[in-house]
Amino acid sequence: KCQDMVMTELANGGEDVLIFYNDRASFPLLLQMMSSEQERSDVNGALKYHITLVELLAACTEGKNVYTEIKCNSLLPLDDIVRVVTHDDCIPEVKMAYVNFVNHCYVDTEVEMKEIYTSNHIWNLFENFIVDMNRVCNSTTDRKHADTAQERYVTEAVTNIVSGFFSSPFSDNSTSLQTHQPIFIQLLQSAFRIYNCAWPTPSQKSSVESCIKTLAEVAKSRAIAIPVDLDSQVNTLFLRTHSNMVQRAVTGWRMSTRGAPRYRDASGAAGLDYRNIIEKLQDIVSTLEHQFQPMVHAELSVLVDVLHSPELLFPDGSDTQMRCEGGAFMSKLINHSKKLMDKEEKLCMKILQTLREMLNRKDNFGEKGTVLRKILLNRYFGNLRSIYKADGLVGGITAPLAAGGFSKSPQTGGSSSSDSDKCGISVFEIQCHLDREGASELVTDLITNTKNSRIFEESIALGIALLEGGNTQTQNSFHRQLNELKKSEKFFKVFYDRMQVAQQEIRATVTVNTNDLSSKKDEDYDLAPPVHRKRARDPAVHIKEGVKGQLAEASTATCKAYYMYRREMDPESDLIPVGTECVGLEDKSGDEDVMSPLITIMEPILRFLQLLCENHNLELQNFLRHQNNKTNYNLVCETLQFMDCICGSTTGGLGLLGLYINKKNVSLVNQTLETLTEYCQGPCHENQTCITTHECNGIDIIIALILNDINPLSKYHMDLVLQLKNNASKLLLSIMESRHDSENAERILYNMRPKELVDVIKNAYNQSMELNDESVSDDNISPKDVGHNIFILAHQLSQHNKLLQQMLKPGSDPLDEGGEALTYYTNRTAQIEIVRHDRSMEQIVFPVPSICGYLTHESKFKVFNSTERDEQGSKVNDFFQQSHNLYNEMIWQKKIKNNPGLFWFSKNMSLWGNISFNFAVFINLAVALFYPFGDEGDESTILPLFSLLLWVVLIVCTVLLLLIPKPHGIRLFTVSVMFRSIYTIGLCPTLVLLGALNLCNKIVFLVSFVGNRGTFTQGYKAVVMDVPFLYHLLYVVVCILGLFVHEFFYSFLLFDLVQRQETLLNVIKSVTRNGRSIILTAALALILVYLFSIVGFLFLQDDFIMVVDQLEKNKSALSEDQDDTMVEQTCDTLLRCIVTVLNQGLRNGGGVGDVLRKPSKNEPLFFARVVYDLLFFFVVIIIVLNLIFGVIIDTFADLRSEKQKKEEVLKTSCFICGLERDKFDNKTVSFEEHIKFEHNMWHYLYFIVLIKVKDPTEYTGPESYVAQMIRENNLDWFPRMRAISLVSNEGDSEQNEIRSLQDKLDTTMYLVEQLSGQLSELKEQMTEQRKNKQRLGFLGSSTTQVNHQDTTH
């Protein structure tokens, strides 16, 4: 209030009072005054007035006062301050006043002053600070001539603003630090230099030390690389400071109490410095806590080790050891804890904490903690030293104990994790072990029966630890305890009552985050509890009114630290929790308020309920809603009601959620959303219906969380708001999960305007573009991911809303600027159809994992064309088998993305292959045309006209290359250049150049091939068995041989055409596919040739006469009269006879008879010769050889027909379901839309990858189902010969028939009800008549009996 009053008076004074020299005309006057010694010494001068005015403005902005801060911002802008402070003539007194003003007005503020965090003004000041800090460090050691004003300015004003700026919560969101790291490091170096100087006073040294500590913490949190020598010096300083902190605190406290007066005298002397006393006490408590906490944790870890291995405490072979190995000790400990619940509450909590420690081990105990741990382990297990020394263990510590920790990887479904610690025990196994010994029963009994809040809290924490990761064995144990042992009614009543109490507490203590309540800030100091007022009125001590606020703030901080320390070290059950007694001392309007324990306990309760349903445990999901007890507690509805209450009930639709959701309770809201999501996923249709049909405003609150900006939380903690929106979108998706009706979707759309939902998607995308997704840490969710989840929600809702469906189409509104966002999300969203166990089909929409973008087009083409079909026309089986290799390829491609060179080579692998083949063709063309090489092809030997023609062709090909930059143009240009170079530089140099280029290109291709497939990462065996890699390696070897050995080796490179063309491969396959049949037929031919050779050798040896031609060199030995021909005997031996029959018989069209001597008809063996020739011709030539040719031709025809059929199948049938194109004729969905959107084969691969990369505890119901099917290698979840679009179309006519039958059935039921009513009325009338007759008969018999008695008398 005083600040506001002074600020108002200053503003009313106008320019006569507010004299600033910040314009061009007056700024030189300020410089002149600072340079004048007379002005500097004049106490009543203009310079002194200006300094005092700035100091007064700084005092008006000290603390958190938005009004004065805004006023002073307009009076003294930041750029004017920087111009004054950074000027060379500025004096220390002016600098101190201005820098203090910046600290209070721009840095230590209630709201963020974006100018100081986004501009370079503050960094310009920091550069000037570095100059001044170095100047005082380099000053003379003579203290008589020291500039004390400059030293005070550096050690007080500069260090305060540096500490305040980097410790401000607003600087955490600033990215300017990353671009000014050198200035930051220089600041730290300069501060450390000042600390090492001898002249600073203790108070100045303390201020510098605080500045160094702040800078070091910022460097550590922001991962700023500090020079090694500076880092070691800073660490040494903190170690020395840490050991002396307690002594210095006590000494300072003692000195302050001795120097300050005990009572306030009448003259107004200063009273006790209570704030200083309490701050020193707080330093002592925090220092002791920091020193002893690792040692306490180490001591507790030894107790946990003893519980893990109690059998090691006893001699080998003893009965006690055997009983401990069987779990007797742990079982008795757990059972004994139940009896301690009422008598020894402190010990009971200690046991619960220790059991939880068994599941949450800590490894880092510090140097002292590790030493203490070893000492205690040797003390307990020292008798086993000799046993474990043989195993190489240190100090006699056993392997399980020396490990010091257990794995904490999440478990799925009840299968043990493969991750384990050094002793081989996983968290899942420990959970199951504790569950078998009765831990789940202990948790159930304590929650049901305890009346102590601390025991209840520890029991919930232990239950969470037992269920962490979705342990199905523990879940089943809890279900058995609650259902079979009839404990559910009391158990759920506890949670129901807790939720009711929490809602009442929220309604009673609800606060609204509006700035209008800031005026009540000063009044809250008077609302302390009576016990504190009594102390304030104590006549022995007079406390100033202004000190009360300081005392309350320091006392609250000390109370919190002391309570947290006592609670962890010595958990007394009767401790006063934070927020009850201490809360009266703190500022109730600040953000540091803590919620009531009645509300905060709800977060672990909801987490426990969530873990009970983890991994979609349908039994427990239904059990939380309905227990089949006398009194039923619907915790699903109660959880929804609780969220409705904490979010302000009816304010959700009005966009006022920001008034109720703040930093204190946002984690509780998130947990509520996650718990409700787990209630519904699986799916659990009953819980989904229960949530959507509940009478509260829960659904409207969830919708409002997505659509509305949650201010002011979104201004300072956007990550928390994004988490809220993400969880809310997941909850709505879980409510609609696996629903075949539209009831829930229509309920959600009832209060949701489609345009608002689309705007939220676009805003999230734009926000991510502003952040570039680089400033988002791994722990926080990206705005783009949140927008993607909301887009999937909108996609699901669009099936029930035509307007929303139209608005989600990219480019639907040409005037809308957010089309880029819709295009981005559409391209990264996929949908598939799956088949459930009950054979019903379900559509799944999911985000495509980012890793799927690394799948190469070559791999897609290969899989699409090489996958084999099954008998149903589907390729799913073979495709599923290849999915693992494709996923590994994605991982490898993502790795090589970090190597830009290798990634570029791998991306253009097909280009390198084409270049290699063209080079091979060009080289062989040159060899074929000009071999043998000589000098006749030189430039000087060809005609000038031919040389000119080559130049003209080269120019024309160059022009064509520029006009038509296609492969054909490139080939023509390369051929022209080759011919021109042959006739210019020679043939041999041209071949060497082409060979070298081909070798280099093939090496590049091999590198890209290895980069694409990750060949060397698969082991040597995989490399040896990789046929394509060996083929390309052989190609490189042939290129080397052709370059360095002989040009003819280049001819082998042309065989690459076979590998590149599928038609040629089919030609080769026509021989190799039925190779066994061909080989056996050839063997039969050889046998026949052998038999015919034997017959010829025995009977027709003289007929095997062959005319041969002599070589030129042998002709000289013959006489001139002889002819050039001569006759030889070719069957003088059986071997020569076989060779002749095989060679000449098979190559001549008429068989072997064509080359034998022509016999005379008068010869005795003439007819035998005829039979011999005919048999050879018919058997060998016609039958056997044509059999071989027929097999080859038929195989080639089959391959060609298979190829044509395969191409037809690829064009006319679905890859996934096998449905043909004609099935979609005259349907609402065309065949092209079906294979692109409904049954896109790559979408199924992306979904399998999503299952692999997603955390199993985050699976939706369909994802869990598919993950289980994948683990079992069961492909029944793929649709076969089915599609939802066809089922819906075929069901339209059936639906009409069903509707007419339903109408007839309703009419019949109405008639039956009428007849039943009439029959009931008739039955009632008959019953009434029967009663009347009986009554009349009874009365008649009574009258007769009376008359008879009267007659007798």
Side-chain angles (χ1 to χ4, degrees):
K1 292 181 179 180
C2 294
Q3 289 176 336
D4 296 342
M5 293 171 59
V6 172
M7 196 68 234
T8 302
E9 293 298 327
L10 289 175
N12 294 334
E15 296 181 357
D16 296 336
V17 177
L18 301 174
I19 301 176
F20 300 106
Y21 305 92
N22 52 5
D23 54 356
R24 292 185 178 182
S26 60
F27 183 66
L29 179 60
L30 177 62
L31 297 179
Q32 181 181 356
M33 288 190 296
M34 289 190 293
S35 302
S36 173
E37 290 293 335
Q38 181 179 358
E39 286 290 340
R40 295 178 60 179
S41 59
D42 188 3
V43 180
N44 298 320
L47 180 61
K48 185 64 175 178
Y49 175 81
H50 178 67
I51 294 173
T52 308
L53 175 62
V54 175
E55 290 176 348
L56 179 59
L57 292 177
C60 289
T61 57
E62 185 175 1
K64 311 289 185 182
N65 194 326
V66 180
Y67 171 74
T68 57
E69 289 167 0
I70 295 175
K71 286 289 185 182
C72 291
N73 279 338
S74 60
L75 292 176
L76 203 54
L78 189 59
D79 52 352
D80 293 339
I81 297 174
V82 174
R83 183 174 58 172
V84 173
V85 174
T86 57
H87 199 277
D88 295 337
D89 296 335
C90 188
I91 60 177
E93 291 83 356
V94 176
K95 286 186 175 182
M96 180 174 290
Y98 273 82
V99 170
N100 284 331
F101 175 78
V102 172
N103 187 21
H104 294 306
C105 186
Y106 287 92
V107 177
D108 186 19
T109 58
E110 183 177 5
V111 296
E112 181 182 9
M113 299 295 179
K114 292 187 177 180
E115 182 182 5
I116 199 166
Y117 298 103
T118 56
S119 65
N120 290 326
H121 292 317
I122 190 67
W123 295 102
N124 295 333
L125 288 177
F126 286 164
E127 290 180 349
N128 186 262
F129 294 166
I130 294 171
V131 175
D132 293 334
M133 294 165 82
N134 293 332
R135 184 179 292 123
V136 297
C137 291
N138 299 330
S139 61
T140 178
T141 57
D142 186 7
R143 300 306 300 161
K144 294 181 180 179
H145 299 87
D147 190 352
T148 57
Q150 182 82 0
E151 292 174 354
R152 283 184 61 247
Y153 161 67
V154 168
T155 57
E156 295 178 8
V158 171
T159 56
N160 288 339
I161 191 174
V162 170
S163 300
F165 178 80
F166 288 108
S167 61
S168 173
F170 306 119
S171 66
D172 296 339
N173 301 325
S174 176
T175 58
S176 60
L177 178 57
Q178 304 299 329
T179 59
H180 297 87
Q181 290 188 12
I183 301 177
F184 178 85
I185 296 174
Q186 293 177 16
L187 271 176
L188 182 58
Q189 290 173 338
S190 301
F192 194 78
R193 286 186 61 193
I194 295 176
Y195 183 82
N196 290 330
C197 292
W199 50 264
T201 63
S203 60
Q204 292 175 341
K205 208 155 194 173
S206 175
S207 179
V208 176
E209 179 184 328
S210 175
C211 179
I212 295 173
K213 182 177 180 181
T214 302
L215 293 175
E217 291 176 352
V218 171
K220 182 178 180 181
S221 62
R222 294 289 190 95
I224 298 176
I226 300 177
V228 179
D229 53 347
L230 180 61
D231 190 24
S232 60
Q233 293 174 357
V234 171
N235 292 333
T236 304
L237 169 64
F238 286 154
L239 288 175
R240 186 171 65 250
T241 305
H242 182 71
S243 60
N244 297 330
M245 184 177 292
V246 176
Q247 296 180 1
R248 290 194 293 105
V250 173
T251 303
W253 187 15
R254 191 176 300 167
M255 294 295 293
S256 62
T257 36
R258 289 179 179 177
R262 292 182 59 87
Y263 304 98
R264 178 181 178 182
D265 53 12
S267 62
L272 291 173
D273 190 0
Y274 293 100
R275 182 172 184 174
N276 188 32
I277 295 173
I278 297 177
E279 285 180 351
K280 298 301 180 182
L281 178 61
Q282 182 180 353
D283 290 341
I284 296 173
V285 174
S286 61
T287 303
L288 290 174
E289 178 185 5
H290 184 73
Q291 283 184 347
F292 293 114
Q293 190 173 19
M295 301 179 70
V296 173
H297 288 161
E299 188 175 6
L300 289 175
S301 71
V302 175
L303 175 59
V304 174
D305 290 329
V306 173
L307 294 179
H308 272 297
S309 305
E311 65 274 5
L312 298 180
L313 297 172
F314 306 101
D316 292 338
S318 62
D319 295 339
T320 308
Q321 185 188 41
M322 296 178 64
R323 291 169 60 192
C324 290
E325 288 178 352
F329 175 77
M330 185 63 65
S331 179
K332 286 192 174 183
L333 177 64
I334 291 174
N335 292 329
H336 184 63
S337 302
K338 302 175 187 177
K339 302 177 182 178
L340 300 175
M341 179 174 53
D342 298 325
K343 300 178 181 178
E344 296 288 342
E345 296 177 347
K346 174 182 175 182
L347 183 58
C348 181
M349 286 188 293
K350 194 72 175 179
I351 294 175
L352 293 175
Q353 291 174 351
T354 307
L355 292 176
R356 187 156 45 92
E357 284 288 331
M358 295 178 68
L359 298 163
N360 185 19
R361 299 292 302 273
K362 295 182 176 64
D363 298 339
N364 186 14
F365 303 109
E367 183 179 356
K368 294 182 179 179
T370 304
V371 172
L372 176 62
R373 175 178 166 80
K374 289 183 177 181
I375 293 173
L376 294 174
L377 287 174
N378 284 321
R379 181 178 300 173
Y380 286 111
F381 304 104
N383 56 336
L384 303 177
R385 181 189 304 271
S386 60
I387 297 177
Y388 294 101
K389 274 188 176 180
D391 298 332
L393 299 171
V394 181
I397 304 174
T398 63
L401 306 180
F406 290 81
S407 66
K408 294 181 64 178
S409 60
Q411 309 299 323
T412 60
S415 60
S416 62
S417 172
S418 59
D419 300 331
S420 59
D421 65 345
K422 298 177 182 178
C423 65
I425 304 177
S426 65
V427 172
F428 174 78
E429 293 172 347
I430 302 174
Q431 289 174 336
C432 295
H433 172 66
L434 292 178
D435 177 62
R436 286 192 299 269
E437 303 305 328
S440 58
E441 183 181 358
L442 172 65
V443 172
T444 305
D445 292 341
L446 290 179
I447 291 176
T448 305
N449 300 317
T450 185
K451 297 180 180 179
N452 188 292
S453 299
R454 289 296 313 283
I455 294 180
F456 178 81
E457 185 177 349
E458 292 294 339
S459 302
I460 292 291
L462 178 58
I464 292 173
L466 289 171
L467 292 167
E468 194 69 49
N471 191 315
T472 54
Q473 178 176 329
T474 310
Q475 288 177 341
N476 295 334
S477 179
F478 274 109
H479 186 259
R480 184 181 61 83
Q481 291 286 328
L482 299 175
N483 190 22
E484 298 179 6
L485 302 182
K486 306 300 181 182
K487 299 180 181 180
S488 60
E489 186 170 356
K490 293 183 178 180
F491 184 81
F492 287 114
K493 185 180 186 303
V494 173
F495 290 129
Y496 180 83
D497 293 342
R498 290 274 181 175
M499 289 184 181
Q500 291 289 333
V501 171
Q503 294 178 46
Q504 296 174 5
E505 184 70 15
I506 290 172
R507 295 187 182 97
T509 61
V510 64
T511 57
V512 180
N513 290 336
T514 58
N515 294 329
D516 296 338
L517 298 182
S518 60
S519 59
K520 298 182 181 180
K521 186 174 182 179
D522 296 330
E523 299 175 4
D524 288 341
Y525 290 121
D526 300 329
L527 300 179
V531 60
H532 300 287
R533 292 186 177 182
K534 182 177 180 179
R535 294 175 182 174
R537 292 193 299 267
D538 191 352
V541 181
H542 299 279
I543 302 177
K544 296 186 297 181
E545 293 295 327
V547 180
K548 287 184 179 181
Q550 300 176 1
L551 180 62
E553 181 182 355
S555 177
T556 301
T558 306
C559 181
K560 287 183 179 180
Y562 180 73
Y563 169 73
M564 296 302 295
Y565 178 80
R566 286 290 305 277
R567 179 176 176 179
E568 184 173 1
M569 301 303 120
D570 187 20
E572 292 285 344
S573 60
D574 55 348
L575 283 176
I576 301 175
V578 178
T580 56
E581 184 176 350
C582 298
V583 76
L585 295 174
E586 62 179 327
D587 181 12
K588 289 189 173 66
S589 64
D591 289 338
E592 297 181 356
D593 289 346
V594 293
M595 291 188 297
S596 169
L598 299 175
I599 304 175
T600 56
I601 191 60
M602 285 303 302
E603 187 167 352
I605 288 176
L606 292 172
R607 174 61 178 167
F608 176 75
L609 295 176
Q610 176 193 355
L611 291 174
L612 279 177
C613 303
E614 193 75 59
N615 292 326
H616 320 307
N617 193 317
L618 186 59
E619 290 184 348
L620 282 169
Q621 285 175 331
N622 290 320
F623 200 62
L624 289 177
R625 186 189 71 260
H626 186 72
Q627 298 88 38
N628 291 323
N629 294 326
K630 183 177 180 181
T631 303
N632 182 64
Y633 298 100
N634 191 338
L635 295 187
V636 176
C637 291
E638 201 60 33
T639 305
L640 184 68
Q641 184 71 39
F642 175 77
M643 191 197 68
D644 183 28
C645 180
I646 197 173
C647 292
S649 192
T650 58
T651 61
L654 303 177
L656 303 178
L657 289 173
L659 301 179
Y660 296 90
I661 300 178
N662 48 55
K663 188 178 179 181
K664 296 180 299 180
N665 61 7
V666 67
S667 62
L668 180 55
V669 178
N670 271 319
Q671 182 58 64
T672 309
L673 293 171
E674 293 173 2
T675 304
L676 288 170
T677 302
E678 201 62 46
Y679 288 163
C680 299
Q681 283 182 344
C684 181
H685 294 300
E686 293 80 4
N687 285 353
Q688 293 173 345
T689 306
C690 181
I691 291 176
T692 54
T693 58
H694 195 261
E695 58 185 7
C696 72
N697 300 311
I699 287 292
D700 299 331
I701 291 289
I702 299 168
I703 296 172
L705 287 173
I706 297 176
L707 299 181
N708 297 332
D709 293 331
I710 305 175
N711 293 319
L713 185 64
S714 59
K715 294 182 179 179
Y716 309 114
H717 300 283
M718 193 62 197
D719 54 333
L720 300 179
V721 176
L722 291 174
Q723 190 67 37
L724 272 176
K725 292 181 179 293
N726 188 53
N727 288 331
S729 61
K730 288 181 179 179
L731 175 53
L732 291 182
L733 285 171
S734 67
I735 292 175
M736 296 188 297
E737 184 179 289
S738 302
R739 301 283 298 196
H740 299 289
D741 54 25
S742 60
E743 294 180 1
N744 290 358
E746 291 175 355
R747 172 63 182 89
I748 294 173
L749 288 167
Y750 181 74
N751 285 337
M752 179 183 290
R753 286 182 289 272
K755 189 177 186 308
E756 291 183 355
L757 186 61
V758 176
D759 289 341
V760 171
I761 298 171
K762 296 176 181 178
N763 292 336
Y765 178 81
N766 295 332
Q767 184 180 356
S768 66
M769 290 295 100
E770 295 174 359
L771 298 176
N772 292 325
D773 281 349
E774 295 178 358
S775 58
V776 181
S777 63
D778 295 337
D779 298 333
N780 296 330
I781 188 171
S782 167
K784 191 176 293 184
D785 295 337
V786 176
H788 205 165
N789 284 338
I790 300 176
F791 178 82
I792 292 175
L793 171 64
H795 186 279
Q796 296 286 65
L797 292 172
S798 65
Q799 301 177 13
H800 310 279
N801 188 293
K802 297 297 182 181
L803 177 60
L804 180 58
Q805 187 176 8
Q806 182 65 27
M807 296 179 68
L808 286 179
K809 293 181 179 179
S812 59
D813 188 1
L815 301 178
D816 193 1
E817 299 178 355
E820 181 183 356
L822 298 179
T823 303
Y824 173 85
Y825 290 128
T826 302
N827 295 335
R828 286 161 178 79
T829 303
Q831 71 177 37
I832 62 172
E833 295 176 358
I834 66 170
V835 180
R836 286 280 194 168
H837 283 304
D838 58 356
R839 309 312 300 165
S840 62
M841 296 189 66
E842 178 181 345
Q843 185 185 80
I844 301 176
V845 182
F846 62 96
V848 177
S850 59
I851 194 174
C852 295
Y854 296 98
L855 186 63
T856 59
H857 294 287
E858 291 81 3
S859 298
K860 287 185 175 181
F861 181 80
K862 179 181 177 182
V863 170
F864 180 74
N865 290 280
S866 63
T867 307
E868 298 295 333
R869 298 172 66 247
D870 58 13
E871 62 277 1
Q872 288 184 325
S874 174
K875 299 185 176 184
V876 167
N877 190 20
D878 194 13
F879 176 67
F880 179 76
Q881 299 300 327
Q882 299 184 57
S883 62
H884 182 69
N885 294 331
L886 293 173
Y887 174 61
N888 291 335
E889 180 183 339
M890 296 176 193
I891 297 175
W892 174 251
Q893 289 291 329
K894 186 177 181 180
K895 288 182 180 179
I896 66 173
K897 184 67 180 293
N898 299 326
N899 189 335
L902 181 59
F903 182 75
W904 185 77
F905 285 136
S906 302
K907 185 173 64 175
N908 299 296
M909 185 179 69
S910 59
L911 175 63
W912 313 130
N914 293 330
I915 293 175
S916 293
F917 178 73
N918 284 281
F919 270 130
V921 174
F922 297 151
I923 292 172
N924 281 280
L925 180 64
V927 172
L929 292 176
F930 299 102
Y931 194 87
F933 307 142
D935 297 332
E936 65 274 13
D938 292 342
E939 177 83 22
S940 59
T941 60
I942 64 174
L943 297 175
L945 182 61
F946 185 68
S947 177
L948 180 61
L949 182 62
L950 286 178
W951 282 112
V952 171
V953 171
L954 178 61
I955 294 173
V956 171
C957 292
T958 305
V959 173
L960 290 176
L961 178 64
L962 297 176
L963 297 177
I964 311 174
K966 293 184 178 181
H968 299 296
I970 297 174
R971 291 192 186 99
L972 290 175
F973 174 76
T974 306
V975 172
S976 62
V977 170
M978 182 183 70
F979 278 102
R980 182 65 267 176
S981 61
I982 288 174
Y983 290 102
T984 302
I985 63 176
L987 180 61
C988 289
T990 302
L991 283 178
V992 171
L993 178 61
L994 290 175
L997 290 175
N998 189 27
L999 178 61
C1000 294
N1001 181 78
K1002 194 60 185 181
I1003 292 175
V1004 169
F1005 174 85
L1006 191 62
V1007 171
S1008 62
F1009 179 83
V1010 173
N1012 261 329
R1013 302 178 56 143
T1015 305
F1016 291 111
T1017 62
Q1018 302 172 7
Y1020 294 104
K1021 185 177 180 181
V1023 173
V1024 175
M1025 300 299 292
D1026 192 351
V1027 177
F1029 171 74
L1030 296 178
Y1031 168 78
H1032 294 299
L1033 186 63
L1034 179 62
Y1035 195 108
V1036 173
V1037 173
V1038 173
C1039 291
I1040 296 174
L1041 293 176
L1043 183 62
F1044 296 104
V1045 179
H1046 199 278
E1047 290 81 1
F1048 285 168
F1049 281 104
Y1050 287 126
S1051 60
F1052 293 105
L1053 300 181
L1054 296 177
F1055 283 109
D1056 190 41
L1057 182 63
V1058 179
Q1059 192 266 341
R1060 296 169 61 84
Q1061 294 294 328
E1062 186 179 0
T1063 304
L1064 290 179
L1065 284 176
N1066 288 337
V1067 173
I1068 303 300
K1069 288 180 181 180
S1070 65
V1071 179
T1072 59
R1073 188 173 189 177
N1074 292 321
R1076 187 171 183 273
S1077 300
I1078 296 174
I1079 291 174
L1080 292 176
T1081 308
L1084 176 62
L1086 290 176
I1087 294 172
L1088 294 173
V1089 168
Y1090 178 61
L1091 294 176
F1092 278 99
S1093 300
I1094 293 175
V1095 173
F1097 180 75
L1098 292 176
F1099 304 104
L1100 303 173
Q1101 188 174 4
D1102 294 335
D1103 292 345
F1104 281 82
I1105 297 174
M1106 188 174 298
V1107 179
V1108 295
D1109 297 328
Q1110 294 290 326
L1111 293 174
E1112 291 294 333
K1113 61 182 179 180
N1114 295 331
K1115 288 182 180 180
S1116 60
L1118 301 173
S1119 61
E1120 295 180 358
D1121 298 337
Q1122 292 177 336
D1123 296 333
D1124 293 342
T1125 60
M1126 63 180 297
V1127 179
E1128 288 185 354
Q1129 177 63 252
T1130 58
C1131 194
D1132 51 353
T1133 64
L1134 181 61
L1135 179 61
R1136 291 192 64 185
C1137 192
I1138 294 172
V1139 173
T1140 301
V1141 174
L1142 185 64
N1143 181 29
Q1144 299 296 333
L1146 297 181
R1147 292 193 301 110
N1148 287 277
V1152 72
D1154 290 350
V1155 297
L1156 296 183
R1157 182 184 62 86
K1158 303 297 185 292
S1160 174
K1161 63 180 180 178
N1162 297 323
E1163 294 180 6
L1165 295 178
F1166 175 77
F1167 291 103
R1169 170 67 187 278
V1170 171
V1171 173
Y1172 180 82
D1173 292 345
L1174 289 176
L1175 282 176
F1176 189 90
F1177 177 74
F1178 281 109
V1179 175
V1180 177
I1181 301 300
I1182 294 181
I1183 297 177
V1184 177
L1185 289 184
N1186 284 325
L1187 281 176
I1188 297 175
F1189 298 151
V1191 170
I1192 295 174
I1193 293 172
D1194 291 342
T1195 305
F1196 183 76
D1198 292 340
L1199 290 172
R1200 184 174 56 185
S1201 62
E1202 287 179 5
K1203 179 183 177 183
Q1204 294 175 352
K1205 186 177 180 180
K1206 181 179 179 180
E1207 292 176 351
E1208 183 181 358
V1209 166
L1210 291 177
K1211 293 179 181 178
T1212 61
S1213 64
C1214 177
F1215 189 96
I1216 298 298
C1217 66
L1219 288 171
E1220 297 181 354
R1221 181 184 292 270
D1222 57 356
K1223 299 292 184 181
F1224 295 88
D1225 294 341
N1226 301 322
K1227 304 294 182 182
T1228 57
V1229 177
S1230 65
F1231 178 75
E1232 286 74 17
E1233 293 174 343
H1234 171 73
I1235 62 176
K1236 183 178 181 181
F1237 300 109
E1238 293 181 345
H1239 287 179
N1240 190 316
M1241 58 179 292
W1242 304 116
H1243 289 179
Y1244 282 86
L1245 174 65
Y1246 299 158
F1247 188 72
I1248 294 174
V1249 173
L1250 178 68
I1251 297 298
K1252 293 179 180 293
V1253 301
K1254 194 172 183 180
D1255 184 2
T1257 60
E1258 298 294 328
Y1259 284 162
T1260 62
E1263 289 169 355
S1264 296
Y1265 164 70
V1266 174
Q1268 181 65 27
M1269 300 291 279
I1270 291 176
R1271 283 193 293 269
E1272 298 173 357
N1273 289 326
N1274 191 339
L1275 303 182
D1276 290 342
W1277 60 280
F1278 281 94
R1280 300 293 182 93
M1281 309 302 292
R1282 301 175 64 188
I1284 291 180
S1285 57
L1286 295 183
V1287 173
S1288 60
N1289 290 329
E1290 293 172 358
D1292 289 341
S1293 59
E1294 297 179 1
Q1295 190 69 27
N1296 294 331
E1297 296 178 2
I1298 293 174
R1299 191 176 296 108
S1300 62
L1301 292 175
Q1302 184 68 34
D1303 294 338
K1304 294 180 181 179
L1305 182 61
D1306 293 340
T1307 305
T1308 306
M1309 289 295 297
Y1310 178 72
L1311 295 176
V1312 170
E1313 289 179 358
Q1314 286 184 337
L1315 293 175
S1316 299
Q1318 294 175 1
L1319 184 62
S1320 299
E1321 292 178 0
L1322 181 61
K1323 185 178 180 180
E1324 291 178 357
Q1325 292 176 3
M1326 294 179 64
T1327 303
E1328 187 67 25
Q1329 292 177 0
R1330 186 183 300 111
K1331 289 181 180 179
N1332 293 333
K1333 289 181 179 180
Q1334 291 177 354
R1335 190 179 303 109
L1336 293 174
F1338 176 75
L1339 292 175
S1341 61
S1342 300
T1343 307
T1344 304
Q1345 185 178 3
V1346 171
N1347 294 332
H1348 178 69
Q1349 289 177 356
D1350 294 338
T1351 305
T1352 305
H1353 290 295

